[in-house]
DNA sequence: CGGGAGCTTGATAGCTGTCAATTTATGTGG
DNA sequence: CCACATAAATTGACAGCTATCAAGCTCCCG
């Protein structure tokens, strides 16, 4: 269990004075133009659906924006606070979490690069969970995605993609409840690793079952509803059995079919292909 | 743990031969006209938002429709199967559930009267969970709600109501994960009872913390991620402490503030009031 | 009135948590 | 490149919550 001390630390770009924010945005923008010649978002969405030129242009524009940067343990959203604008994670991991008065914390979802934060269509929305950066997280504002979702007339494929990702998120959340309620520690971690592998590989962030996995054992514990000690012992058992390698924030799933089987991981199937 | 035997039993109206279905629909319709002079849905939606005449007319029309009837343990939706049309529950309780190969079952959400089933905006949607009737469940088809949600131009208040209920469902699902991952048996059941009381009271189905609660202890166990035996012992402890009365499918929460406190139940706040 | 589902109880096992100490990484400054 | 400081990972001992097994009981219903 993590005794959560609410330490905000230095949050860049977001929730800082305008003057500083703009300066940092410029730096970030400059950096992204030089180093982040990334087409990560374009790749992600083009894998979700065939986009029209208009839609692809929206994605390119969003992707070219300045980054908001959050340091580990900074809050990206706070439960109950108003959501200003939707963002998309360009790099880094975050955790959607809830906590109890005595400090017990439950992570209810992992936010990976390419995931949206605060993308919801109701008016004046409040955050339903607290979103905390696990690593350094870089996001871009993406109000256009909300527009495209709510009014799909000119952006049907983009809207369909967002429908799909929203439904997949719901699928993972149901799977999370299943894990927490009815699976053993070993099964929970197996299931979790398979989910992460599946989600990352579809974004080109995992190859051959091996990927960057920047969660500490305490974070894994808060996801899996376990204690750190038990997570540690379970991981070692998986290592002993030759099913994973995990060191220096890098996870290699050596026996993916095996882990999928013991964890009973089922990839999301949320809709039939358009006829 | 419930060793789930997939027994479909006799499903009325839905998924039965057309001839029989129509006959039963007529009977249901007749019954509803005579006995179910219900304005349940109108009341429910008028509490969610101020509806226009046009919108209220939609609700009235939906509510006047023939009922689909499901017997206890019948499946209303099956995970992975295509969703034909959205329905709204007019009476009875159902459970959204997932199960593991060895029969372990986790209920991931309780469906109460007034809740929608299969209301999602993506094209050709597949059910993400299996929905099983707990009691006899009566539903009406409500394709209009989907229309009103996807194209809110003529139905802005109805669409906003559906945004709200969808967000509240998400809130409850996050709370469910919190319960399962980080709360003790006693806290889980307290939290669950408070959630049910809150949701039912807003629909006029609970008064003074007392309501019809047709779940067996085995069902409660499948919601709370516990064994039947432990649910039984926990309920008795609550009774001994004078915090609840539970008999013959009727739950009376005698100490609602106390249970809310131990369960740390937080009612959903999903959006700010329109300015 | 029989039968069965649901509820209750006792005994026992075991998975997982807690506590505490040690070892190993990671990162920083000189 | 090394020393130090801190976070993270590891290990052992022990406790305890919850599951399992088994049996009896109660209530509802045909």
């Amino acid at each position: 269990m993590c005794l959560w001390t609410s330490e905000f630390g230095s949050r860049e770009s977001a929730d800082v004075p305008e003057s500083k924010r703009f300066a940092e945005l410029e730096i970030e923008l400059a950096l992204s133009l030089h180093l982040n010649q990334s087409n990560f978002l374009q790749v992600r969405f083009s894998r979700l659906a065939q986009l029209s030129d208009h839609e692809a242009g929206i994605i390119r524009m969003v992707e070219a924006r300045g980054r908001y940067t959050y340091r580990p343990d900074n809050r990206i959203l706070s439960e109950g606070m108003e959501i200003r604008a939707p963002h998309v994670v360009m790099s880094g991991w975050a955790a959607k979490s809830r906590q109890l008065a005595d400090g017990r914390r439950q992570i209810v979802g992992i936010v990976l690069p390419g995931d949206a934060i605060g993308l919801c269509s109701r008016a004046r929305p409040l955050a339903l969970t607290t979103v905390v950066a696990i690593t350094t997280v870089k996001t871009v504002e993406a109000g256009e995605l909300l527009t495209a979702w709510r009014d799909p007339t000119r952006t049907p494929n983009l809207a369909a993609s967002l429908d799909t990702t929203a439904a997949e998120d719901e699928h993972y959340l149901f799977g999370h409840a299943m894990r927490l309620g009815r699976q053993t520690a070993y099964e929970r971690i197996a299931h979790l690793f398979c989910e992460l592998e599946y989600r990352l590989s579809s974004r080109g962030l995992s190859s051959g079952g091996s990927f960057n996995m920047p969660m500490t054992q305490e974070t894994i514990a808060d996801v899996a509803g376990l204690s750190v000690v038990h997570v540690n012992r379970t991981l070692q058992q998986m290592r002993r059995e030759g099913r994973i390698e995990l060191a220096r924030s890098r996870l290699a799933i050596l026996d993916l079919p095996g882990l999928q089987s013991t964890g009973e991981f089922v990839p999301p199937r949320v809709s039939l292909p358009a006829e």
Side-chain angles (χ1 to χ4, degrees), chain A residues 60-80:
Chain A
R60 262 197 308 277
M61 176 172 58
V62 166
E63 184 154 42
R65 271 196 192 124
R67 266 58 169 166
Y68 288 71
T69 303
Y70 301 87
R71 291 293 160 72
D73 293 341
N74 278 176
R75 290 188 178 189
I76 302 175
L77 283 182
S78 292
E79 184 178 344

Side-chain angles (χ1 to χ4, degrees), chain A residues 48-60:
Chain A
L48 285 165
Q50 181 73 33
L51 298 189
S52 68
D53 289 348
H54 174 58
E55 293 168 320
I58 292 175
I59 299 298
R60 262 197 308 277

Side-chain angles (χ1 to χ4, degrees), chain A residues 2-11 71-79 81 97 99-105 130-132 218:
Chain A
C2 162
L3 283 183
W4 183 255
T5 58
S6 177
E7 94 181 55
F8 275 69
S10 70
R11 181 185 310 183
R71 291 293 160 72
D73 293 341
N74 278 176
R75 290 188 178 189
I76 302 175
L77 283 182
S78 292
E79 184 178 344
M81 297 289 101
S97 66
Q99 45 204 310
L100 296 171
D102 65 358
R104 282 175 289 178
R105 180 171 81 137
T130 296
V131 181
V132 179
E218 179 158 336

